[in-house]
């Protein structure tokens, strides 16, 4: 499918809500829609001074307001650095993000070890504003900087035996204090079906908010799959493997009753222990209704046509 | 002039009153700061979740503390500190109520349908609600007048529910956490040790 035509989700910056309107939403009036706790920034006010300042930008959160950067970088699930939300921001400084290589293996022509700069050509970087919905029923809107996963995969030339692509996070006990605890079955692994991976949405991200990824957000390279629960957006990637069988995914492996391979955002399919019908958008007081496929139904629903999403959760 | 016995228990209760009020005062301060300035401060990106969790953590700790008062009084050979036990228990009850309010008001904002669904579906919430319902009669019968009305023997029996409540609350906590966490196990061990102490003491005195 040619990527030349403008996708239906791309809106211009002139459609973004004016900054003054957004800042005046910060009222704590009970009963008034979704009042704000802390700030949400309209995408037009993002700093134009960072490393990735002048990239092409697409707002795929329909102008819902970008989450305050200080929240996005201080409220993280990255168990390799501790299980409290505030832990990664405090302990992830020990992560060494340069030099960084990714081992590509399995059913593809370009097997080998790649420097991150080789795998993610700076000339292909773009900025995309996506919603990210955690399985714990909170969400953010983040302006990611990266390259579409589909483009990276194309360059690696997977063979016809590549039905799935698997990813693995760094698991170095010296750099990651959380590894000493057996909270999850390390190393952290995730995977996608090939057609999911080749969809235009998934991004291999190297930055956010116009600058490099902070350590606690999965530096220097992470996946962003906006229509699935956040734990599928694997951080600090060191391995990419093309394979025939469904990959092992750490949360599904550790607790298969609660976490499945697909983990599509779906308000109609509850987690065994809590409802997925609503979510807390960080920075807002009232909860929001969760959207099917996190609002990306148009782009990805066809991947699951005829599938029982309660069975394949 | 206050008799020394009365004075020392007043000092202990005064000290505990300040200490146990800590978490609530902390939250009250930072919520008012949030409303005024829009900055959640140490409550972080998700202040509602932080609040519910902080209140829950301390409700659990105060409940375990209530259980521990008698055992500690025997350990340090100061039986008079048991005079502070009711206050600790009522603080625990207050934290439980605030924890529930945080969930009902802040988190689900009086969405009774969602709350009803949660109670039925989220088993750990069912367990939590059960603990509260069991704690309620203990709080209601905490006064001297109530002890007289209920009768000492029946009161004693009713208040021995605190053991089961502690177990239920630890289970509530264990069911809620994600991944394999050690904290629920630690609380379980503490409660087990306290219950063992009570058991052996009862055996000794009933011989």
């Amino acid at each position: 499918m040619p990527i030349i035509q403008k996708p239906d989700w791309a809106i211009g910056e002139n459609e973004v809500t004016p900054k003054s309107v957004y800042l005046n939403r910060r009222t704590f009036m009970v009963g008034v829609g979704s009042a704000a706790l802390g700030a949400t920034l309209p995408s037009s006010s993002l700093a134009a001074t960072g490393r990735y300042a002048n990239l092409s930008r697409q707002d795929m959160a329909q102008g819902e307001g970008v989450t305050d950067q200080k929240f996005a970088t201080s409220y993280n699930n990255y168990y390799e650095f501790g299980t409290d939300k505030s832990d990664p921001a405090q302990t992830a400084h020990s992560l060494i993000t340069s030099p960084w290589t990714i081992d590509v293996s399995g059913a593809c022509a370009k097997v080998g070890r790649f420097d991150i700069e080789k795998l993610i050509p700076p000339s292909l970087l773009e900025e995309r504003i996506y919603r990210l919905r955690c399985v714990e029923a909170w969400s953010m809107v983040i302006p990611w900087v990266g390259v579409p996963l589909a483009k990276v995969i194309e360059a690696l030339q997977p063979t016809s035996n590549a039905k799935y692509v698997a990813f693995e996070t760094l698991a170095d006990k010296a750099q990651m204090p959380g590894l000493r605890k057996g909270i999850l079955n390390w190393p952290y692994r995730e995977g996608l079906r090939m057609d999911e991976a080749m969809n235009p949405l998934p991004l291999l991200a190297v930055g956010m908010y116009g600058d490099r990824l902070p350590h606690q957000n999965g530096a220097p390279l992470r996946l962003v799959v906006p229509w699935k629960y956040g734990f599928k957006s694997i951080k600090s990637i060191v391995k990419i493997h093309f394979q025939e069988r469904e990959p092992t995914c750490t949360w599904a492996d550790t607790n298969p009753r609660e976490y499945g391979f697909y983990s599509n955002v779906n308000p109609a399919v509850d987690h065994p222990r809590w409802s997925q019908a609503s979510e807390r958008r960080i920075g807002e007081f009232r909860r929001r209704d969760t959207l099917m496929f996190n609002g990306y139904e148009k782009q990805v629903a066809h991947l699951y046509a005829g599938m029982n999403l309660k069975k394949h959760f | 002039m206050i008799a020394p016995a009365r004075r020392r228990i007043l000092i202990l209760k005064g000290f505990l009153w300040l200490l146990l009020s800590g978490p609530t005062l902390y939250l009250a301060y930072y919520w008012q700061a949030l409303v005024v300035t829009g900055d959640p401060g140490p409550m972080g990106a998700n202040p509602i979740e932080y609040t519910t969790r902080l209140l829950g953590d301390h409700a659990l700790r105060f409940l375990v503390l209530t259980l521990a008062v008698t055992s500690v009084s025997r350990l340090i050979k100061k039986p008079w500190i048991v005079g502070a036990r009711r206050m600790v228990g009522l603080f625990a009850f207050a934290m439980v109520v605030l924890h529930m309010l945080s969930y009902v008001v802040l988190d689900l904002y009086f969405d009774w349908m969602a709350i009803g669904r949660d109670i039925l579906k989220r088993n750990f919430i069912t367990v939590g609600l059960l603990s509260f319902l069991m704690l309620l009669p203990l709080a209601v019968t905490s006064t001297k007048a109530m002890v007289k009305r209920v009768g000492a023997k029946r009161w004693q029996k009713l208040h021995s529910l605190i053991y089961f409540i502690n177990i239920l609350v630890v289970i509530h906590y264990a069911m809620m956490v994600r991944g394999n966490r050690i904290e629920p196990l630690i609380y379980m061990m503490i409660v087990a040790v306290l219950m063992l102490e009570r058991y052996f003491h009862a055996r000794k005195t009933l011989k």
Side-chain angles (χ1 to χ4, degrees):
Chain A
M1 188 192 95
I3 315 174
I4 305 165
Q5 71 230 46
K6 209 175 181 194
D8 53 8
W9 36 250
I11 63 171
E13 278 185 53
N14 57 322
E15 292 183 55
V16 170
T17 308
K19 184 171 182 172
S20 57
V21 176
Y22 255 94
L23 290 181
N24 286 329
R25 285 173 72 222
R26 197 193 304 165
T27 50
F28 197 75
M29 279 169 59
V30 161
V32 177
S34 49
L37 290 171
T40 51
L41 305 169
S43 52
S44 60
S45 74
L46 289 169
T49 54
R51 178 191 181 83
Y52 301 120
N54 297 311
L55 301 173
S56 74
R57 173 189 299 159
Q58 275 151 7
D59 183 352
M60 305 193 56
Q62 278 79 46
E64 281 172 18
V66 167
T67 301
D68 195 325
Q69 185 173 2
K70 75 170 187 249
F71 294 150
T73 56
S74 65
Y75 193 75
N76 309 103
N77 276 330
Y78 198 167
Y79 287 10
E80 286 87 333
F81 291 102
T83 53
D84 281 345
K85 297 287 193 293
S86 51
D87 281 343
Q90 286 160 12
T91 66
H93 51 80
S94 51
L95 185 68
I96 301 165
T97 57
S98 175
W100 190 270
T101 56
I102 297 101
D103 287 335
V104 176
S105 57
C108 69
K110 304 285 184 191
V111 169
R113 176 163 290 185
F114 291 78
D115 283 331
I116 183 174
E117 296 84 14
K118 273 273 161 61
L119 197 68
I120 312 290
S123 59
L124 292 182
L125 289 176
E126 51 181 284
E127 184 175 67
R128 299 231 189 125
I129 302 175
Y130 281 149
R131 292 181 211 91
L132 189 70
R133 165 59 155 88
C134 179
V135 74
E136 296 169 347
W138 55 268
S139 62
M140 294 184 181
V141 173
I142 312 237
W144 301 102
V145 172
V147 173
L149 176 63
K151 286 194 185 157
V152 175
I153 288 179
E154 261 165 26
L156 296 175
Q157 295 170 25
T159 69
S160 56
N161 289 333
K163 304 282 191 283
Y164 296 89
V165 55
F167 303 89
E168 193 174 300
T169 299
L170 178 73
D172 181 4
K173 284 212 175 94
Q175 297 177 50
M176 298 165 145
L179 287 181
R180 288 176 220 134
K181 304 189 181 164
I183 296 199
L184 294 173
N185 301 339
W186 308 117
Y188 195 89
R189 289 169 289 175
E190 261 302 333
L192 296 172
R193 218 169 57 188
M194 210 54 188
D195 57 347
E196 294 177 321
M198 294 306 289
N199 182 281
L201 287 186
L203 216 60
L204 272 176
V206 295
M208 62 197 281
Y209 296 89
D211 220 321
R212 268 199 266 242
L213 279 177
H215 291 186
Q216 59 268 34
N217 294 97
L221 179 70
R222 69 166 294 162
L223 188 61
V224 181
V225 192
W227 75 93
K228 293 178 183 283
Y229 292 120
F231 62 81
K232 289 211 63 91
S233 292
I234 184 172
K235 302 184 183 68
S236 304
I237 298 169
V238 287
K239 285 192 189 160
I240 299 177
H241 184 82
F242 296 95
Q243 58 191 65
E244 279 190 81
R245 291 185 312 151
E246 191 179 282
T248 303
C249 300
T250 296
W251 273 104
D253 185 48
T254 305
N255 195 339
R257 203 185 134 253
E258 297 189 349
Y259 308 101
F261 172 74
Y262 288 96
S263 292
N264 291 323
V265 176
N266 188 339
V269 177
D270 287 341
H271 183 281
R273 284 186 289 148
W274 58 83
S275 158
Q276 294 288 20
S278 72
E279 65 196 56
R280 166 122 13 242
R281 177 66 54 83
I282 299 299
E284 292 179 2
F285 179 65
R286 298 285 301 274
R287 292 180 83 101
R288 279 179 174 253
D289 287 334
T290 293
L291 303 171
M292 186 66 190
F293 296 118
N294 208 19
Y296 300 106
E297 193 167 6
K298 255 210 222 146
Q299 294 86 9
V300 303
H302 66 275
L303 298 170
Y304 311 103
M307 242 172 89
N308 180 344
L309 293 178
K310 272 200 154 73
K311 184 161 164 244
H312 300 283
F313 61 95
Chain B
M1 275 303 299
I2 307 176
R6 183 163 156 70
R7 188 172 55 204
R8 69 186 172 187
I9 193 70
L10 279 178
I11 292 173
L12 175 63
K13 285 172 84 169
F15 167 72
L16 282 175
W17 212 99
L18 286 171
L19 186 71
L20 301 178
S21 302
T24 316
L25 292 173
Y26 176 89
L27 285 172
Y29 174 75
Y30 283 110
W31 270 97
Q32 100 29 68
L34 172 58
V35 171
V36 167
T37 69
D39 184 357
M43 299 197 291
N46 197 343
I48 292 173
E49 196 259 336
Y50 178 91
T51 300
T52 309
R53 204 166 28 97
L54 191 84
L55 291 169
D57 280 347
H58 285 89
L60 173 57
R61 283 172 201 165
F62 293 1
L63 274 172
V64 174
L65 192 66
T66 310
L67 199 60
V69 171
T70 314
S71 305
V72 167
S73 76
R74 284 196 277 265
L75 185 74
I76 63 173
K77 301 215 188 7
K78 290 195 193 324
W80 61 269
I81 73 167
V82 170
R85 188 176 60 193
R86 179 179 74 181
M87 196 186 77
V88 179
L90 287 174
F91 258 99
F93 177 72
M95 294 305 273
V96 169
V97 170
L98 286 175
H99 170 70
M100 288 174 59
L101 279 177
S102 176
Y103 162 67
V104 167
V105 177
L106 294 180
D107 197 350
L108 294 185
Y109 198 63
F110 298 114
D111 186 347
W112 298 109
M113 288 294 288
I115 294 167
R117 272 198 307 264
D118 263 359
I119 291 172
L120 293 174
K121 177 185 184 67
R122 291 166 80 172
N123 299 331
F124 76 92
I125 291 186
T126 321
V127 173
L129 183 64
L130 219 69
S131 332
F132 167 72
L133 291 174
M134 294 180 91
L135 194 57
L136 190 57
L138 270 66
V140 166
T141 59
S142 58
T143 59
K144 278 210 193 98
M146 281 308 268
V147 177
K148 277 217 189 101
R149 261 177 74 172
V150 172
K153 250 198 179 150
R154 272 170 53 194
W155 190 97
Q156 194 50 48
K157 267 209 174 120
L158 175 66
H159 280 254
S160 63
L161 268 179
I162 194 69
Y163 302 109
F164 187 53
I165 293 168
N166 264 277
I167 294 172
L168 270 188
V169 172
V170 176
I171 291 175
H172 168 72
Y173 179 39
M175 287 171 81
M176 188 220 98
V177 298
R178 272 165 288 275
N180 313 317
R181 303 278 283 269
I182 197 168
E183 287 90 341
L185 293 172
I186 294 178
Y187 279 111
M188 197 59 96
M189 275 181 358
I190 296 173
V191 172
V193 165
L194 290 172
M195 286 180 69
L196 275 174
E197 192 277 333
R198 298 295 245 276
Y199 171 73
F200 285 119
H201 175 80
R203 263 182 39 145
K204 225 171 38 170
T205 50
L206 288 174
K207 277 229 171 86

